[in-house]
């Protein structure tokens, strides 16, 4: 049976030493009750520490910015251990990847990006804690002096009290002041506390001469005990068990410091009642443990689901591409954050669950890295193909052979899209080069097309008139000269709109009909009255035309080679084949004319 820190009126003659021993026994027993309550706090503290590295550092920074930062030593150390654990694991992961890449482990060097911040927070807190500890020591020393003064006043109250002193009021003030006095060093507390209660009991023994005051004191303390018991009964139904345990600890403190002594007939009765209620509340710790266990099991299931999803992403059912891995990387990062934010799991499974998570992450990273390593060879081949397209685009970007160049550039753009990725370092460079060549061509095409559109319409109108004139030629005398004049006039007119280009074919067909009607060959057409210088100049111009025409034919034929199986049936290429035929026919005519000029025919 637990005893208490006061004496009944029938114990006034006991030896003071016996009283001190009993008081010491009481203090120790009450202290055990308080320590017993402390144990209930541990599950909640462990449960609250499942936070990410970023959140841990954020809370550490929040603590050191508090005015009473040093007072939160225990919480800061918990966060420090958690953050250190995360940083160590991430460094180990980097080392694992480094070694896995074929590098010697002794060459590994890596500093976590948050290490410097972590170290700075620790150093700042250490300074604040040292300052706090120093101020605490000073405060405790002041409190010690203050409590010793209170004890001295208590001693004087029953040894040297002046006549007329209101003992009831004085002892109330002393007890109130003692309860509000601050903490002292643990090494001083036990002796100090025993000394206080010794003199308090001596005071109560002195009160044997004043039964009325003693009854008032006992009644007052009994009322306090009853209030404490009533509140403890309410805590039996408190839904938040941790809150009930914390408040019960505070009630034990009040019981010890402010609700003693009471009359003998109530002493053991009230204590046993309070102790029984306390035991019932302590029995509810199993509810707290069960709730925590249930929540931890739920967390374990959530974390295992996260691990399973990461494992599934690391083992795709179909051949993955770049897009798949980019989406998977983002998803895994979200899953990793979710895993770290999920609360604690059962302690016996915690290490295994964490190791499974790290192993799965490493497997994902290994598979992903292997994919991108395999891409390097194909990316180099893709780069070479795109460089060829760039060269072709740059060679033709100033071409004005719109019939072949426009479909060519469209084909180049389509081929560019079909070619896969290239090394990241070259992506922007080659795209800028290809885009600039394409933009140069199409800008030139639009400008020339807009500028020459009106002239081409006028050319078409003139050629239409010349064609109609050619159609009226017969085989009468002077027809040959007329045909020569018509052909010269036709050649002096420039291009026509693209949708009217068929007039050239019609003219050539009509010309052949008229020459056949007059029974002459196109090469027999002559230009009369030319001087020697004019003939030389004409020969030089014809040579230049032949050279240009041959180059144009070669270029057109080379461009056709970019198309798979080019044929006249392809609508895009039909006009090109006709153009090549016309240029070849024109080339033969020029060569024959040059031959005739050189031969003097």
């Amino acid at each position: 049976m637990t005893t208490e820190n006061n004496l009944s009126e029938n114990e006034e003659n006991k030896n003071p030493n016996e009283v001190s021993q009993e008081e010491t026994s009481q203090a120790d027993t009450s202290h055990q009750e308080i320590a017993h309550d402390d144990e209930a706090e541990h599950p909640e503290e462990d449960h609250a520490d499942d936070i990410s590295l970023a959140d841990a550092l954020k809370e550490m920074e929040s603590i050191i910015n508090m005015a009473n930062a040093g007072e939160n030593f225990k919480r800061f150390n918990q966060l420090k251990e958690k953050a250190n654990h995360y940083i160590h694991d991430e460094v180990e992961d980097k080392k694992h990847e480094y070694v896995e890449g074929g590098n010697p482990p002794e060459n590994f060097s890596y500093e976590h990006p948050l290490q410097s911040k972590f170290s700075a927070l620790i150093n700042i807190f250490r300074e604040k804690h040292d300052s706090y500890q120093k101020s605490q020591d000073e405060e405790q020393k002041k409190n010690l002096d203050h409590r010793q003064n209170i004890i001295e006043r208590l001693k004087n109250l029953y040894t040297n009290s002046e006549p007329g002193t209101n003992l009831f009021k004085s002892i109330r003030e002393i007890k109130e002041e003692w309860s509000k006095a601050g903490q002292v060093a643990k090494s001083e507390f036990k002796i100090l506390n025993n000394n206080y209660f010794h003199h308090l009991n001596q005071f109560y023994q002195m009160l044997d001469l004043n039964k009325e005051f003693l009854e008032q004191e006992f009644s007052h303390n009994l009322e306090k005990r009853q209030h404490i018991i009533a509140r403890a009964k309410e805590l039996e139904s408190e839904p938040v068990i941790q809150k009930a345990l914390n408040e019960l600890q505070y009630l034990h403190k009040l019981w010890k410091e402010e609700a003693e002594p009471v009359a003998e007939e109530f002493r053991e009765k009230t204590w046993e009642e309070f102790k029984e209620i306390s035991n019932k509340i302590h029995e509810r710790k199993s509810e707290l443990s069960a709730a925590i266990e249930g929540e931890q099991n739920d967390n374990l299931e959530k974390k295992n689901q996260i691990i399973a999803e990461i494992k599934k992403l690391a083992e795709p059912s179909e051949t993955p591409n770049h897009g798949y891995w980019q989406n998977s990387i983002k998803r895994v990062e979200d899953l990793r954050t979710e895993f770290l934010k999920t609360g604690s799991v059962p302690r016996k499974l915690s290490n295994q669950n964490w190791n499974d998570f790290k192993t799965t992450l490493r497997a994902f990273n290994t598979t992903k890295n292997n994919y991108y390593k395999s891409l390097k060879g194909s990316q180099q081949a893709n780069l070479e193909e795109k460089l060829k397209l760039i060269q072709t685009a740059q060679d033709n970007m100033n071409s004005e052979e719109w019939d072949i160049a426009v479909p060519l550039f469209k084909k180049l753009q389509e081929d560019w899209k079909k070619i896969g990725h290239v090394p990241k370092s070259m992506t922007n460079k080659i795209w800028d080069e290809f885009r600039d060549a394409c933009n140069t061509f199409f800008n030139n095409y639009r400008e020339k097309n807009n500028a020459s559109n009106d002239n081409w319409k006028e050319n078409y109108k003139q050629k239409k008139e010349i064609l109609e004139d050619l159609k009226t030629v017969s085989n009468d005398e002077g027809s040959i000269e007329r045909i020569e004049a018509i052909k010269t006039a036709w050649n002096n007119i420039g291009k026509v709109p693209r949708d009217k280009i068929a007039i050239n074919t019609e003219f050539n067909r009509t010309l052949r009909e008229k020459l056949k009607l007059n029974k002459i060959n196109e090469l027999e057409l002559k230009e009369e009255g030319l001087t020697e210088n004019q003939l030389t100049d004409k020969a030089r111009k014809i040579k230049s035309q032949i050279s240009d025409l041959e180059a144009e034919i070669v270029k057109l034929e080379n461009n056709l080679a970019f198309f798979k199986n080019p044929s006249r049936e392809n609508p895009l290429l039909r006009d090109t084949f006709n153009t090549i035929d016309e240029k070849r026919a024109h080339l033969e005519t020029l060569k024959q004319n040059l031959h005739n000029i050189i031969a003097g025919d």
Side-chain angles (χ1 to χ4, degrees):
M1 180 176 65
T2 306
T3 59
E4 303 183 70
N5 287 342
N6 58 357
L7 297 176
S8 70
E9 55 185 315
N10 296 324
E11 294 172 320
E12 58 186 28
N13 296 322
K14 281 189 177 181
N15 188 301
N17 293 330
E18 295 175 358
V19 173
S20 298
Q21 293 171 1
E22 185 176 1
E23 292 296 331
T24 302
S25 174
Q26 288 177 332
D28 292 344
T29 304
S30 298
H31 178 72
Q32 290 170 1
E33 291 290 340
I34 296 172
H36 187 55
D37 289 339
D38 286 340
E39 295 171 0
E41 298 179 5
H42 296 323
E44 183 182 43
E45 290 172 357
D46 292 343
H47 178 63
D49 283 342
D50 289 288
I51 58 178
S52 66
L53 173 59
D55 289 340
L57 293 179
K58 184 177 180 181
E59 187 173 346
M60 289 170 68
E61 186 173 0
S62 176
I63 288 175
I64 67 173
N65 288 328
M66 294 179 179
N68 60 337
E71 187 176 343
N72 296 280
F73 177 77
K74 184 176 180 180
R75 178 57 179 165
F76 189 88
N77 271 358
Q78 291 173 345
L79 294 168
K80 180 181 74 173
E81 293 300 322
K82 199 73 176 177
N84 188 54
H85 175 71
Y86 280 134
I87 290 175
H88 176 268
D89 282 343
E90 290 185 25
V91 171
E92 287 297 312
D93 287 343
K94 291 289 185 182
K95 183 175 182 180
H96 178 82
E97 292 179 5
Y98 181 79
V99 174
E100 191 181 64
N103 301 300
E106 59 271 14
N107 292 342
F108 174 75
S109 177
Y110 173 77
E111 181 175 351
H112 195 281
L114 296 177
Q115 178 66 51
S116 58
K117 181 177 181 180
F118 175 60
S119 300
L121 291 175
I122 293 175
N123 291 332
I124 295 172
F125 180 80
R126 184 181 294 117
E127 293 176 0
K128 293 205 170 189
H129 181 260
D130 289 345
S131 176
Y132 167 78
Q133 194 63 46
K134 183 178 179 180
S135 66
Q136 284 293 99
D137 291 343
E138 294 174 354
E139 183 68 23
Q140 288 177 357
K141 188 176 183 305
K142 288 171 58 178
N143 294 338
L144 177 62
D145 294 339
H146 181 50
R147 285 185 180 271
Q148 287 174 338
N149 289 333
I150 294 174
I151 293 173
E152 194 62 30
R153 286 165 53 198
L154 175 60
K155 181 179 178 181
N156 290 332
L157 190 62
Y158 69 84
T159 57
N160 299 314
S161 58
E162 297 179 1
T165 300
N166 188 333
L167 296 178
F168 182 79
K169 180 180 178 182
S170 297
I171 194 64
R172 278 281 159 259
E173 291 174 351
I174 288 174
K175 291 178 69 175
E176 181 72 17
E177 196 169 344
W178 180 267
S179 66
K180 292 182 179 179
Q183 296 181 346
V184 298
K186 291 182 179 179
S187 60
E188 302 283 353
F189 176 76
K190 186 173 182 180
I191 297 175
L192 190 70
N193 201 52
N194 287 343
N195 196 15
Y196 170 76
F197 281 106
H198 166 72
H199 290 292
L200 186 62
N201 283 320
Q202 291 294 103
F203 171 78
Y204 289 138
Q205 289 182 25
M206 182 271 294
L207 290 181
D208 185 48
L209 301 176
N210 191 341
K211 298 294 184 180
E212 182 181 353
F213 172 77
L214 187 60
E215 289 175 0
Q216 288 180 339
E217 179 72 2
F218 283 171
S219 175
H220 178 79
N221 290 344
L222 178 60
E223 185 179 348
K224 275 199 170 184
R225 287 195 174 196
Q226 289 170 341
H227 281 304
I228 291 173
I229 291 172
R231 178 53 187 160
K233 286 181 178 179
E234 294 177 0
L235 294 178
E236 289 187 65
S237 58
E238 168 61 47
V240 182
I241 182 59
Q242 187 63 50
K243 179 180 178 182
L245 291 168
N246 291 342
E247 188 167 346
L248 178 64
Q249 183 179 1
Y250 174 69
L251 293 180
H252 271 270
K253 183 176 183 294
L254 290 181
W255 184 281
K256 175 183 176 182
E257 295 181 357
E258 299 184 16
E260 298 180 0
V262 295
E264 177 67 24
E265 65 267 28
F266 298 111
R267 184 172 303 171
E268 295 300 332
K269 178 182 176 182
T270 54
W271 170 246
E272 290 297 331
E273 184 178 4
F274 181 50
K275 187 171 69 172
E276 183 180 354
I277 296 172
S278 297
N279 290 337
K280 289 180 180 179
I281 296 175
H282 279 301
E283 289 173 359
R284 291 188 62 198
K285 284 195 292 186
S286 59
E287 298 177 21
L288 178 63
S289 299
I292 292 176
E293 182 179 357
E295 185 176 349
Q296 288 179 340
N297 286 330
D298 290 342
N299 293 337
L300 178 63
E301 183 177 351
K302 290 178 183 177
K303 288 188 173 183
N304 284 336
Q305 289 175 354
I306 291 173
I307 292 172
E309 186 172 349
I310 296 176
K311 186 178 294 185
K312 185 177 179 181
L313 292 173
E315 301 171 353
S317 56
E318 299 179 358
T319 302
N321 55 20
H322 172 70
Y324 171 85
W325 284 114
Q326 290 302 302
N327 292 332
S328 296
I329 290 170
K330 294 178 182 177
R331 178 58 182 158
V332 167
E333 186 58 32
D334 291 341
L335 291 172
R336 182 179 181 276
T337 301
E338 184 180 349
F339 184 94
L340 295 177
K341 287 185 177 180
T342 304
S344 63
V345 302
R347 188 179 298 273
K348 62 182 179 180
L349 298 174
S350 179
N351 288 338
Q352 182 61 46
N353 182 251
W354 178 250
N355 290 333
D356 289 346
F357 175 66
K358 291 202 298 182
T359 301
T360 306
L361 270 183
R362 286 172 179 167
F364 172 84
N365 289 329
T366 298
T367 307
K368 178 256 297 180
N369 292 339
N370 289 339
Y371 167 79
Y372 282 105
K373 288 177 183 177
S374 68
L375 280 185
K376 290 183 179 179
S378 60
Q379 287 180 346
Q380 189 60 38
N382 293 340
L383 175 61
E384 294 176 1
E385 290 186 34
K386 287 193 173 184
L387 289 175
K388 292 179 181 178
L389 297 183
I390 292 172
Q391 187 61 49
T392 302
Q394 291 175 340
D395 290 344
N396 292 276
M397 64 183 181
N398 296 317
S399 172
E400 295 185 5
E401 297 292 338
W402 312 124
D403 293 339
I404 186 64
V406 171
L408 171 65
F409 270 85
K410 290 182 179 179
K411 179 71 166 48
L412 292 175
Q413 291 175 331
E414 291 174 1
D415 290 347
W416 184 277
K417 294 177 182 179
K418 294 176 182 178
I419 299 174
H421 292 279
V422 301
K424 191 173 182 179
S425 60
M426 297 294 293
T427 300
N428 292 335
K429 181 178 183 298
I430 62 172
W431 167 245
D432 290 341
E433 292 180 2
F434 181 70
R435 181 183 57 189
D436 290 344
C438 291
N439 288 344
T440 298
F441 171 77
F442 284 109
N443 289 338
N444 187 41
Y445 172 69
R446 283 190 291 270
E447 291 175 2
K448 293 293 179 67
N449 193 44
N450 293 336
S452 61
N453 190 48
D454 292 338
N455 293 333
W456 289 0
K457 289 179 180 178
E458 181 62 28
N459 292 343
Y460 174 75
K461 182 179 179 181
Q462 294 179 16
K463 284 193 172 184
K464 186 71 173 175
E465 293 174 355
I466 292 174
L467 175 60
E468 294 302 321
D469 188 23
L470 178 62
K471 289 180 179 180
T472 62
V473 173
S474 63
N475 58 351
D476 296 338
E477 184 177 351
S479 297
I480 302 301
E481 290 78 5
R482 186 180 174 191
I483 291 173
E484 289 177 345
I486 289 174
K487 185 179 180 183
T488 300
W490 179 275
N491 290 335
N492 289 332
I493 298 174
K495 295 182 179 180
V496 299
R498 186 174 182 180
D499 58 338
K500 304 295 184 179
I501 198 170
I503 195 173
N504 294 328
T505 303
E506 185 178 1
F507 177 81
N508 291 329
R509 183 180 67 252
T510 304
L511 179 61
R512 287 192 293 270
E513 291 174 356
K514 296 303 178 180
L515 293 174
K516 184 177 181 181
L517 177 65
N518 287 274
K519 297 180 181 180
I520 65 171
N521 189 284
E522 185 177 1
L523 296 176
E524 296 178 3
L525 293 175
K526 298 179 181 179
E527 295 180 81
E528 300 294 337
L530 297 178
T531 65
E532 187 68 26
N533 289 336
Q534 289 175 327
L535 287 174
T536 301
D537 186 56
K538 183 177 180 180
R540 185 171 59 253
K541 289 181 179 179
I542 291 175
K543 286 182 180 180
S544 178
Q545 290 176 354
I546 290 174
S547 178
D548 291 342
L549 203 54
E550 287 176 339
E552 290 175 5
I553 293 172
V554 170
K555 188 174 182 180
L556 289 173
E557 289 176 341
N558 288 340
N559 288 340
L560 284 175
F562 282 100
F563 295 87
K564 187 177 181 180
N565 300 323
S567 68
R568 294 179 185 274
E569 304 302 321
N570 189 331
L572 292 175
L573 304 179
R574 186 177 300 131
D575 290 342
T576 301
F577 276 104
N578 291 338
T579 300
I580 291 175
D581 290 343
E582 292 176 4
K583 289 183 181 295
R584 283 176 176 168
H586 188 199
L587 179 62
E588 291 302 321
T589 300
L590 290 175
K591 288 181 178 180
Q592 186 62 48
N593 287 343
L594 180 61
H595 174 74
N596 291 339
I597 292 174
I598 294 173
D601 295 339

